[in-house]
Coordinates of all heavy atoms in Angstrom, one line a residue:
V382 N -70.3 27.7 30.0 CA -71.5 27.5 30.8 C -72.3 26.4 30.1 O -72.5 26.3 29.0 CB -72.3 28.7 30.9 CG1 -73.7 28.5 31.6 CG2 -71.6 29.8 31.7
S383 N -72.6 25.4 31.0 CA -73.4 24.3 30.4 C -74.8 24.6 29.8 O -75.4 25.6 30.5 CB -73.6 23.2 31.6 OG -74.5 22.2 31.1
K384 N -75.2 24.0 28.8 CA -76.5 24.3 28.3 C -77.6 23.5 29.0 O -78.8 23.7 28.7 CB -76.5 23.9 26.8 CG -75.6 24.7 25.9 CD -75.7 24.4 24.4 CE -74.7 25.2 23.6 NZ -74.7 24.8 22.2
N385 N -77.2 22.7 29.9 CA -78.1 21.8 30.6 C -78.2 22.2 32.1 O -77.2 22.6 32.7 CB -77.6 20.4 30.5 CG -77.5 19.9 29.2 OD1 -78.2 20.3 28.2 ND2 -76.4 19.1 28.9
A386 N -79.4 22.2 32.6 CA -79.5 22.5 34.1 C -80.1 21.2 34.8 O -81.0 20.6 34.2 CB -80.5 23.7 34.2
V387 N -79.6 20.9 35.8 CA -80.0 19.7 36.5 C -80.9 20.0 37.6 O -80.6 20.9 38.4 CB -78.8 18.9 37.1 CG1 -79.2 17.6 37.6 CG2 -77.8 18.7 35.9
L388 N -82.0 19.4 37.7 CA -83.1 19.7 38.7 C -83.0 18.7 39.8 O -82.9 17.4 39.6 CB -84.5 19.6 38.0 CG -85.7 19.8 39.0 CD1 -85.6 21.2 39.7 CD2 -86.9 19.5 38.3
F389 N -83.0 19.1 41.1 CA -83.1 18.3 42.3 C -84.3 18.6 43.0 O -84.7 19.8 43.1 CB -81.9 18.4 43.2 CG -80.6 18.0 42.5 CD1 -79.8 18.8 41.6 CD2 -80.1 16.7 42.8 CE1 -78.7 18.4 41.1 CE2 -78.9 16.4 42.2 CZ -78.2 17.2 41.3
V390 N -85.1 17.6 43.6 CA -86.2 17.9 44.3 C -86.0 16.9 45.6 O -85.8 15.8 45.6 CB -87.5 17.4 43.6 CG1 -88.7 17.6 44.5 CG2 -87.7 18.3 42.4
G391 N -86.2 17.7 46.8 CA -85.9 16.9 48.1 C -84.5 16.4 48.1 O -84.3 15.4 48.9
G392 N -83.6 17.1 47.6 CA -82.2 16.7 47.7 C -81.7 15.6 46.8 O -80.6 15.2 46.7
K393 N -82.7 15.1 45.9 CA -82.4 14.1 45.0 C -82.6 14.5 43.5 O -83.5 15.3 43.3 CB -83.1 12.8 45.2 CG -82.9 12.2 46.6 CD -83.8 11.0 46.8 CE -83.6 10.3 48.1 NZ -84.5 9.1 48.3
E394 N -81.7 14.0 42.7 CA -82.0 14.3 41.3 C -83.3 13.8 40.8 O -83.7 12.7 41.1 CB -80.8 13.7 40.4 CG -81.1 13.9 38.9 CD -80.2 13.0 38.1 OE1 -79.4 12.3 38.6 OE2 -80.4 12.9 36.8
Y395 N -84.0 14.7 40.1 CA -85.4 14.4 39.6 C -85.3 13.6 38.4 O -84.8 14.0 37.3 CB -86.2 15.7 39.3 CG -87.7 15.4 39.1 CD1 -88.6 15.5 40.0 CD2 -88.1 15.2 37.8 CE1 -89.9 15.2 39.8 CE2 -89.4 14.9 37.6 CZ -90.3 14.9 38.6 OH -91.6 14.7 38.4
T396 N -85.9 12.4 38.5 CA -85.9 11.5 37.4 C -87.3 10.9 37.0 O -87.3 9.8 36.5 CB -85.0 10.3 37.6 OG1 -85.1 9.6 38.8 CG2 -83.5 10.9 37.6
E397 N -88.3 11.5 37.5 CA -89.7 10.9 37.3 C -90.0 11.0 35.8 O -89.8 12.1 35.2 CB -90.8 11.6 38.0 CG -90.6 11.4 39.6 CD -90.8 10.0 40.0 OE1 -91.7 9.3 39.4 OE2 -90.2 9.5 40.8
P398 N -90.4 10.0 35.1 CA -90.7 10.1 33.7 C -91.9 10.9 33.3 O -92.8 11.0 34.2 CB -91.0 8.6 33.3 CG -91.4 7.9 34.5 CD -90.7 8.6 35.7
M399 N -91.9 11.4 32.1 CA -93.1 12.2 31.7 C -94.3 11.3 31.6 O -94.2 10.2 31.3 CB -92.8 12.7 30.3 CG -93.8 13.6 29.7 SD -93.8 15.3 30.5 CE -92.5 16.0 29.7
P400 N -95.4 11.8 32.2 CA -96.7 11.0 32.1 C -97.0 10.6 30.6 O -96.6 11.3 29.7 CB -97.8 12.0 32.5 CG -97.0 12.9 33.3 CD -95.7 13.1 32.7

Side-chain angles (χ1 to χ4, degrees):
V382 175
S383 174
K384 295 180 180 178
N385 307 321
V387 185
L388 175 64
F389 294 81
V390 177
K393 296 181 180 179
E394 180 197 347
Y395 187 92
T396 56
E397 293 295 323
M399 186 72 78

